[in-house]
């Protein structure tokens, strides 16, 4: 196994900005070149918005870290021009097994809904994702996209002004200063930008430690997700095993609160635990070991004037349910079209407040879900443990109890009900899943898929009716929608018009509408009309 | 709409009560607590409706 996280991917190189007499002003500066910062750079760069990305490091993240990427993330990656790369490399699984004590209580098959280009999720090491993102960034640069990725650039000071943000940066060749019209902070849970601005980050701390071990196995092991509650090899705690590419398996072992972290990380000790888990006949090697604790918390607001926070810098969740990196990519998906529109002068600055409203709502949903999973996996009282164990006991024989077992819920994108950008639903009988605020469900479309047909701007989709020409929208019409499209977009309605945002969320829908009505909805969806 | 029934609704109250006690006979407190938890979950599934279940929780809390 090559240690891909050892190799510099974007080494420090001197920028002309460092020799400028006065600080150079850039339209957008992104702090942090993790998955969230890189997604923002790709999105804005593809839209022709010049971006500078600063990262104190020059390598992909160390160790596998985020490893589950949900369908919505893959759809976003498709828009960024790299969905196929991820899916080809990633591992897909459908079968999950749940163990309680020394017995398997049940297994489930995800059997995902058909008619979607992308699977429910893939397992892929974060370093692969970051490496692919940097490769995509280089590709865009070669095509002339205005993206400047600067490794070895550590932000040491941030000052927010009414019309710009001033940055102090340290490099291997000494400090320099920069100015940004807009700053996107994607610098992780410990966000230095947040610290520099003295902004709060409050929430709930979970008193628990988890050991992550990436192991390579020389044995045939099924591509399944195994979750143990209270297993013999880790009594009173939980454990998780799932597969990553390159023959690497991720093992998560709950350790409890009162432990000696350094001792638990010793390879001999970790190997003994893993051997107990996999059985004596399985040969394996340790690739990476880490111990983590976690918290569920968020900033009160994600937009502070010209500084916008995204990903873990804005909100932090427990790892159960894969809502960290996945929600971070949804943040930038929500933010970038809005920021590009504001910079182009096509939308008022107030449009950015809808980023705050929508992504705070999503963060709360993610925190709620991941907190509930955590409370199930780590019962906080004697009675919650009694109920948890009762659910697991019943799940072995009774199907009804299985939906109550919570070892992490699938990360699904938020539906922005009540968003200021929505126009009230005007499609009687329309399906709830595609109501205003919802992310568009994918569907088979002609010879491909619907989401691939939605462009970089607003789409006006006509189903069973011709989409009219409305300035600022691209029409997409289907005269005779098939059953799948009907089920996902029409319900009981014979025909419909959908106004779809650049981030593929529904802004408005009607049984039918005049161009004037559609123009009003478009104006609302760009923050111009309340 | 189904509502929480708080008027007498048990066919043979004495028999049902005896069944409940009999199920706990000989169990330790831990085993009894586990049995009760399983029973509540089974009954909750029978109810199904979150609204009715919450009404039942409220009634139980009031005493």
């Amino acid at each position: 196994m090559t240690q891909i996280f050892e190799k510099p991917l974007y080494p420090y190189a001197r920028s002309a900005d460092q020799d400028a007499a006065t600080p150079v002003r850039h339209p957008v500066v992104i702090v942090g070149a993790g998955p969230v910062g890189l997604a923002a750079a790709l999105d804005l760069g593809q839209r022709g918005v010049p971006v500078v990305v600063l990262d104190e490091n020059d390598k992909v993240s160390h160790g596998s870290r985020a490893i589950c990427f949900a369908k919505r993330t893959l759809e976003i990656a498709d828009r960024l021009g790299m969905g196929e790369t991820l899916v080809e490399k990633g591992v897909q699984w459908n079968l999950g097994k749940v163990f309680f004590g020394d017995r398997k209580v049940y297994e489930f098959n995800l059997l995902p809904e058909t008619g979607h280009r992308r699977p429910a999720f893939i397992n892929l090491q974060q370093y692969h994702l970051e490496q692919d993102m940097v490769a995509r960034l280089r590709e865009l640069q070669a095509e002339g996209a205005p993206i400047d990725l600067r490794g070895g650039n550590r932000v040491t000071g941030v000052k927010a002004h009414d019309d710009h943000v001033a940055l102090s940066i340290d490099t291997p060749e000494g400090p320099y200063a920069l100015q940004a019209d807009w700053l996107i902070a994607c610098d992780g849970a410990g966000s230095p930008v947040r610290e520099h601005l003295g902004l709060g980050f409050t929430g709930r701390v979970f008193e628990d430690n988890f050991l992550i071990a990436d192991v390579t196995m020389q044995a045939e092991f099924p591509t399944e997700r195994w979750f143990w509650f209270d297993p013999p090899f880790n009594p009173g705690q939980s454990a998780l095993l799932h597969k990553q590419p390159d023959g690497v398996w991720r093992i998560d072992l709950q350790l409890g609160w009162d432990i000696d972290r350094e001792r638990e990380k010793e390879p001999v000790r970790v190997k003994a635990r893993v051997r107990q888990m996999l059985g004596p006949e399985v040969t394996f090697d340790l690739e990476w070991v880490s111990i983590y604790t976690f918290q569920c918390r968020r900033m009160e607001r994600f937009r502070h004037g010209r500084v916008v926070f995204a990903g873990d810098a804005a909100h932090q969740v427990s790892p159960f349910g894969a809502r960290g990196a996945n929600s971070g990519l949804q943040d930038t998906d929500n933010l970038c079209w809005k920021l590009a529109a504001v910079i182009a002068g096509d939308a008022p600055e107030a449009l950015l407040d809808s980023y705050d409203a929508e992504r705070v709502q999503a963060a709360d949903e993610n925190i709620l879900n991941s907190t509930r999973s955590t409370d199930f996996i780590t019962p906080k009282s004697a009675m919650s443990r009694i109920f948890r164990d009762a659910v697991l006991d019943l799940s072995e024989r009774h199907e009804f109890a299985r939906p109550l077992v919570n070892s992490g819920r699938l990360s699904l994108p938020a539906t922005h009900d009540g968003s200021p950008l929505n126009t009230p639903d005007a499609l009687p009988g329309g399906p709830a899943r595609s109501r205003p605020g919802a992310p568009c469900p994918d569907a088979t479309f002609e010879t491909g898929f619907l989401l691939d047909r939605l462009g970089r701007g607003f789409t006006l989709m006509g189903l069973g009716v011709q989409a009219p020409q409305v300035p600022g929208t691209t029409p997409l019409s289907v005269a005779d929608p098939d059953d799948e499209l009907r089920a996902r977009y029409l319900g009981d309605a014979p025909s419909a018009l959908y106004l779809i945002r650049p981030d593929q969320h529904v802004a408005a829908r009607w049984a039918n509408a005049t161009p004037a009505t559609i123009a009003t909805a478009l104006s609302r969806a760009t923050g111009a009309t309340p | 709409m189904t509502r929480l029934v708080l008027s007498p609704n048990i066919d043979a109250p004495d028999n049902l009560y005896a069944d409940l006690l009999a199920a706990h006979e000989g169990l330790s407190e831990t085993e009894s607590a586990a049995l009760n938890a399983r029973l509540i979950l089974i009954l909750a599934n029978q109810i199904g409706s979150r609204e009715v279940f919450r009404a039942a929780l409220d009634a139980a809390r009031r005493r």
Side-chain angles (χ1 to χ4, degrees):
Chain A
M1 177 69 204
T2 53
Q3 296 293 312
I4 121 172
F5 35 88
E6 304 294 340
K7 192 177 126 235
L9 200 57
Y10 41 94
Y12 167 78
R14 192 170 183 87
S15 153
D17 289 356
Q18 288 166 257
D19 301 313
T22 54
V24 176
R25 174 86 70 101
H26 291 275
V28 179
V29 171
I30 297 166
V31 183
V36 181
L38 289 171
L42 295 177
D43 202 333
L44 290 168
Q46 280 192 159
R47 293 177 187 280
V49 177
V51 291
V52 174
V53 188
L54 306 173
D55 197 290
E56 59 181 315
N57 264 306
D58 59 3
K59 302 177 185 72
V60 293
S61 68
H62 194 82
S64 57
R65 301 182 61 171
I67 61 159
C68 286
F69 295 97
K71 180 167 159 295
R72 183 65 199 145
T73 299
L74 300 173
E75 292 166 354
I76 293 169
D78 277 330
R79 275 204 317 99
L80 300 178
M82 52 180 296
E84 198 58 35
T85 315
L86 301 181
V87 173
E88 272 175 14
K89 200 175 288 178
V91 167
Q92 291 179 40
W93 59 269
N94 286 318
L95 198 65
K97 288 180 178 164
V98 176
F99 301 84
F100 180 39
D102 56 5
R103 62 198 206 273
K104 184 181 88 182
V105 284
Y106 72 95
E107 57 181 60
F108 57 90
N109 194 325
L110 292 171
L111 292 177
E113 188 182 57
T114 56
H116 294 262
R117 180 171 180 202
R118 296 307 177 198
F121 49 85
I122 58 166
N123 284 1
L124 184 72
Q125 295 90 327
Q126 182 172 330
Y127 51 74
H128 278 314
L129 173 72
E130 290 179 10
Q131 193 182 41
D132 291 340
M133 287 179 122
V134 172
R136 176 65 185 143
L137 186 147
R138 299 295 181 216
E139 212 173 87
L140 287 173
Q141 281 175 328
E143 292 165 14
I147 309 174
D148 183 352
L149 173 57
R150 300 182 188 174
N153 274 242
R154 188 166 66 89
V155 174
T156 55
V158 182
K159 254 190 119 66
H161 300 278
D162 284 346
D163 63 341
H164 75 281
V165 184
L167 292 162
S168 314
I169 297 156
D170 204 12
T171 74
E173 294 183 308
Y176 73 107
L178 269 190
Q179 292 183 352
D181 290 339
W182 299 95
L183 180 74
I184 311 179
C186 310
D187 49 351
S191 176
V193 171
R194 203 182 55 226
E195 294 295 316
H196 288 308
L197 295 175
L199 298 167
F201 199 45
T202 53
R204 181 170 161 198
V205 180
F206 291 85
E207 296 196 338
D208 214 335
N209 288 284
F210 283 80
L211 175 88
I212 318 179
D214 277 355
V215 305
T216 47
M217 276 197 247
Q218 275 83 53
E220 284 300 307
F221 229 80
T223 304
E224 299 167 359
R225 178 191 196 257
W226 291 10
F227 198 100
W228 287 265
F229 293 96
D230 196 11
F233 57 84
N234 198 19
Q237 312 285 359
S238 66
L240 172 65
L241 174 74
H242 50 169
K243 196 180 185 187
Q244 307 172 37
D246 319 318
V248 180
W249 294 81
R250 160 69 76 80
I251 292 172
D252 274 56
L253 288 164
Q254 186 188 5
L255 297 179
W257 187 234
D258 287 316
I259 58 154
D260 180 343
R261 293 171 62 106
E262 286 316 306
R263 185 163 160 259
E264 292 296 346
K265 266 199 281 198
E266 285 167 15
V268 180
R269 204 172 155 77
V270 175
K271 279 188 171 172
R273 277 187 183 280
V274 174
R275 195 166 296 118
Q276 251 185 310
M277 178 173 173
L278 300 177
E281 67 284 357
V282 178
T283 327
F284 63 90
D285 282 316
L286 276 187
E287 171 153 308
W288 176 65
V289 174
S290 174
I291 287 185
Y292 66 91
T293 58
F294 58 82
Q295 312 188 359
C296 287
R297 52 187 182 167
R298 70 162 167 88
M299 298 179 73
E300 199 183 325
R301 287 181 291 123
F302 297 169
R303 180 192 171 200
H304 291 262
R306 291 182 166 264
V307 183
V308 186
F309 291 84
D312 283 359
H315 45 75
Q316 202 187 356
V317 294
S318 84
F320 307 113
R323 285 159 193 273
N326 285 305
S327 69
L329 263 70
Q330 287 163 38
D331 286 346
T332 57
D333 193 46
N334 186 295
L335 174 63
C336 290
W337 69 270
K338 295 175 181 175
L339 188 56
V342 169
I343 289 171
D346 294 338
E349 266 184 51
L351 178 60
L352 297 175
D353 289 329
S354 72
Y355 166 76
D356 195 79
E358 293 180 340
R359 295 314 297 167
V360 163
Q361 177 214 347
D364 283 345
E365 200 173 293
N366 286 323
I367 288 172
L368 179 71
N369 273 295
S370 88
T371 301
R372 284 176 170 175
S373 301
T374 310
D375 286 342
F376 192 87
I377 292 164
T378 316
K380 299 296 181 296
S381 68
M383 191 46 76
S384 60
R385 181 172 288 271
I386 288 168
F387 274 113
R388 199 281 305 268
D389 289 354
V391 166
L392 290 168
D393 269 329
L394 290 168
S395 72
E396 186 172 10
R397 212 163 316 142
H398 305 295
E399 217 180 322
F400 89 84
R402 292 171 195 169
L404 294 170
V405 175
N406 190 345
S407 66
R409 297 284 181 228
L410 191 60
S411 165
L412 296 171
T415 292
H416 300 306
D417 287 315
S419 165
L421 306 189
N422 293 354
T423 291
D425 195 354
L427 182 66
R433 67 190 288 186
S434 49
R435 66 189 183 273
C440 283
D442 202 1
T444 347
F445 196 94
E446 292 167 1
T447 53
F449 290 92
L450 172 63
L451 295 188
D452 291 333
R453 300 293 295 273
L454 305 177
R456 207 159 280 163
F458 278 86
T459 302
L460 187 61
M461 179 168 76
L463 297 174
V465 59
Q466 182 74 30
Q469 294 288 337
V470 176
T473 68
T474 305
L476 177 69
S477 300
V478 187
D480 186 19
D482 62 14
D483 288 349
E484 193 178 274
L485 266 177
R486 284 184 181 280
R488 289 173 198 181
Y489 287 92
L490 288 176
D492 301 329
S495 64
L497 279 175
Y498 275 80
L499 179 64
I500 300 167
R501 298 171 10 174
D503 57 11
Q504 303 177 341
H505 280 253
V506 175
R509 65 177 184 180
W510 305 267
N512 211 336
T514 63
T517 304
I518 297 163
T520 305
L522 178 65
S523 167
R524 184 174 297 121
T526 47
T529 315
Chain B
M1 188 184 72
T2 322
R3 293 188 55 190
L4 180 68
V5 182
L6 289 172
S7 53
N9 190 42
I10 299 171
D11 285 346
D14 289 351
N15 290 345
L16 186 142
Y17 193 73
D19 289 343
L20 184 61
L21 294 193
H24 283 278
E25 218 156 287
L27 298 188
S28 69
E29 270 190 43
T30 313
E31 288 164 340
S32 273
L35 176 70
N36 277 339
R38 293 196 294 273
L39 186 63
I40 288 170
L41 291 166
I42 289 166
L43 297 177
N45 186 62
Q46 184 69 30
I47 292 170
S49 150
R50 184 182 181 197
E51 203 183 329
V52 177
F53 187 72
R54 282 165 65 112
L57 277 175
D58 282 344
R61 269 196 291 255
R62 270 199 304 274
R63 285 194 291 182

Coordinates of all heavy atoms in Angstrom, one line a residue, chain A residues 489-514:
Chain A
Y489 N -42.4 13.1 -9.9 CA -42.7 14.6 -10.1 C -44.1 15.0 -10.4 O -44.5 16.2 -10.2 CB -41.8 15.1 -11.3 CG -40.4 15.2 -10.9 CD1 -39.5 14.1 -11.2 CD2 -39.9 16.3 -10.3 CE1 -38.1 14.2 -10.8 CE2 -38.5 16.4 -9.9 CZ -37.7 15.4 -10.2 OH -36.3 15.5 -9.8
L490 N -45.0 14.0 -10.7 CA -46.4 14.4 -11.0 C -47.4 13.9 -10.0 O -48.3 14.6 -9.7 CB -46.8 13.9 -12.4 CG -46.1 14.7 -13.6 CD1 -46.5 14.0 -14.9 CD2 -46.5 16.2 -13.6
G491 N -47.1 12.8 -9.5 CA -48.1 12.2 -8.5 C -49.5 12.1 -9.2 O -49.6 11.4 -10.3
D492 N -50.5 12.7 -8.7 CA -51.8 12.7 -9.3 C -52.0 13.8 -10.4 O -53.1 13.8 -11.0 CB -52.9 12.9 -8.2 CG -52.8 11.8 -7.2 OD1 -52.4 10.6 -7.5 OD2 -53.1 12.1 -6.0
A493 N -51.0 14.6 -10.5 CA -51.2 15.8 -11.5 C -50.9 15.3 -12.9 O -50.1 14.5 -13.1 CB -50.3 16.9 -11.1
P494 N -51.7 15.8 -13.9 CA -51.5 15.4 -15.3 C -50.2 16.0 -15.9 O -49.6 15.4 -16.8 CB -52.8 15.9 -16.0 CG -53.3 16.9 -15.1 CD -52.9 16.7 -13.7
S495 N -49.9 17.2 -15.4 CA -48.7 17.9 -16.0 C -48.2 18.9 -14.9 O -48.9 19.2 -14.0 CB -49.1 18.6 -17.2 OG -50.0 19.7 -16.9
A496 N -47.0 19.3 -15.1 CA -46.4 20.2 -14.2 C -45.2 21.0 -14.8 O -44.6 20.6 -15.7 CB -45.8 19.4 -13.0
L497 N -45.0 22.2 -14.2 CA -43.8 23.0 -14.4 C -43.0 23.1 -13.2 O -43.5 23.4 -12.1 CB -44.2 24.4 -14.9 CG -44.7 24.7 -16.3 CD1 -45.2 26.1 -16.4 CD2 -43.5 24.4 -17.3
Y498 N -41.7 22.8 -13.3 CA -40.8 22.9 -12.1 C -39.7 24.0 -12.4 O -39.1 23.9 -13.4 CB -40.1 21.6 -11.9 CG -40.9 20.6 -11.1 CD1 -41.9 19.8 -11.6 CD2 -40.6 20.4 -9.7 CE1 -42.6 18.9 -10.9 CE2 -41.3 19.5 -8.9 CZ -42.3 18.8 -9.5 OH -43.0 17.9 -8.8
L499 N -39.5 24.9 -11.4 CA -38.4 25.8 -11.5 C -37.3 25.2 -10.5 O -37.6 25.0 -9.3 CB -38.8 27.2 -11.0 CG -37.7 28.2 -11.0 CD1 -37.1 28.5 -12.4 CD2 -38.1 29.5 -10.3
I500 N -36.2 24.9 -11.1 CA -35.1 24.1 -10.4 C -33.9 25.0 -10.3 O -33.4 25.6 -11.3 CB -34.8 22.8 -11.1 CG1 -36.1 21.9 -11.2 CG2 -33.7 22.1 -10.4 CD1 -36.0 20.8 -12.1
R501 N -33.4 25.1 -9.0 CA -32.3 26.0 -8.7 C -31.0 25.4 -9.3 O -30.9 24.2 -9.6 CB -32.1 26.1 -7.2 CG -33.3 26.8 -6.6 CD -33.3 26.8 -5.1 NE -32.2 26.4 -4.3 CZ -32.1 26.5 -3.0 NH1 -33.2 27.0 -2.3 NH2 -31.1 26.2 -2.3
P502 N -29.9 26.2 -9.4 CA -28.6 25.6 -9.8 C -28.1 24.5 -9.0 O -27.3 23.7 -9.4 CB -27.7 26.8 -9.8 CG -28.6 28.0 -9.9 CD -29.9 27.6 -9.2
D503 N -28.5 24.5 -7.7 CA -28.1 23.3 -6.8 C -29.1 22.2 -6.9 O -29.0 21.3 -6.0 CB -27.8 23.8 -5.4 CG -29.0 24.5 -4.7 OD1 -30.1 24.4 -5.3 OD2 -28.9 25.1 -3.7
Q504 N -29.9 22.2 -7.8 CA -30.9 21.1 -8.1 C -31.9 20.9 -7.0 O -32.5 19.9 -6.9 CB -30.1 19.8 -8.3 CG -29.1 19.8 -9.5 CD -28.3 18.6 -9.7 OE1 -28.2 17.7 -8.8 NE2 -27.7 18.4 -10.8
H505 N -32.2 22.0 -6.2 CA -33.3 22.0 -5.3 C -34.5 22.6 -6.1 O -34.3 23.5 -6.9 CB -33.0 22.7 -4.0 CG -32.2 21.9 -3.1 ND1 -32.8 21.4 -1.9 CD2 -30.9 21.5 -3.1 CE1 -31.8 20.7 -1.2 NE2 -30.7 20.8 -1.9
V506 N -35.7 22.2 -5.7 CA -36.9 22.7 -6.4 C -37.2 24.1 -5.7 O -37.3 24.2 -4.5 CB -38.1 21.8 -6.2 CG1 -39.4 22.4 -6.7 CG2 -37.8 20.5 -6.8
A507 N -37.4 25.1 -6.6 CA -37.7 26.5 -6.1 C -39.2 26.7 -6.1 O -39.8 27.3 -5.2 CB -37.0 27.6 -6.9
A508 N -39.8 26.1 -7.1 CA -41.3 26.3 -7.3 C -41.8 25.3 -8.2 O -41.1 24.7 -9.0 CB -41.6 27.7 -7.9
R509 N -43.1 25.0 -8.1 CA -43.8 24.1 -9.1 C -45.2 24.4 -9.2 O -45.9 24.9 -8.2 CB -43.6 22.6 -8.7 CG -44.2 22.2 -7.4 CD -44.1 20.7 -7.1 NE -44.8 20.3 -5.9 CZ -44.8 19.0 -5.4 NH1 -44.2 18.1 -6.1 NH2 -45.5 18.7 -4.4
W510 N -45.7 24.2 -10.4 CA -47.1 24.6 -10.7 C -47.7 23.5 -11.6 O -47.0 22.8 -12.3 CB -47.1 25.9 -11.5 CG -46.5 27.1 -10.9 CD1 -47.0 28.1 -10.1 CD2 -45.1 27.5 -11.1 NE1 -46.1 29.0 -9.8 CE2 -44.9 28.7 -10.4 CE3 -44.0 27.0 -11.8 CZ2 -43.7 29.4 -10.3 CZ3 -42.8 27.6 -11.8 CH2 -42.6 28.8 -11.0
A511 N -49.1 23.5 -11.6 CA -49.8 22.7 -12.5 C -49.6 23.4 -13.9 O -49.3 22.7 -14.9 CB -51.3 22.6 -12.2
N512 N -49.6 24.7 -13.9 CA -49.2 25.5 -15.1 C -49.0 26.9 -14.6 O -49.5 27.3 -13.5 CB -50.3 25.4 -16.2 CG -49.6 25.5 -17.6 OD1 -48.5 26.1 -17.7 ND2 -50.3 25.0 -18.6
A513 N -48.3 27.7 -15.3 CA -48.0 29.0 -14.9 C -47.6 29.9 -16.1 O -47.1 29.4 -17.1 CB -46.8 29.0 -13.9
T514 N -47.9 31.2 -15.9 CA -47.6 32.2 -17.0 C -46.1 32.6 -16.8 O -45.6 32.5 -15.7 CB -48.4 33.4 -16.8 OG1 -48.1 34.0 -15.6 CG2 -49.9 33.1 -16.9

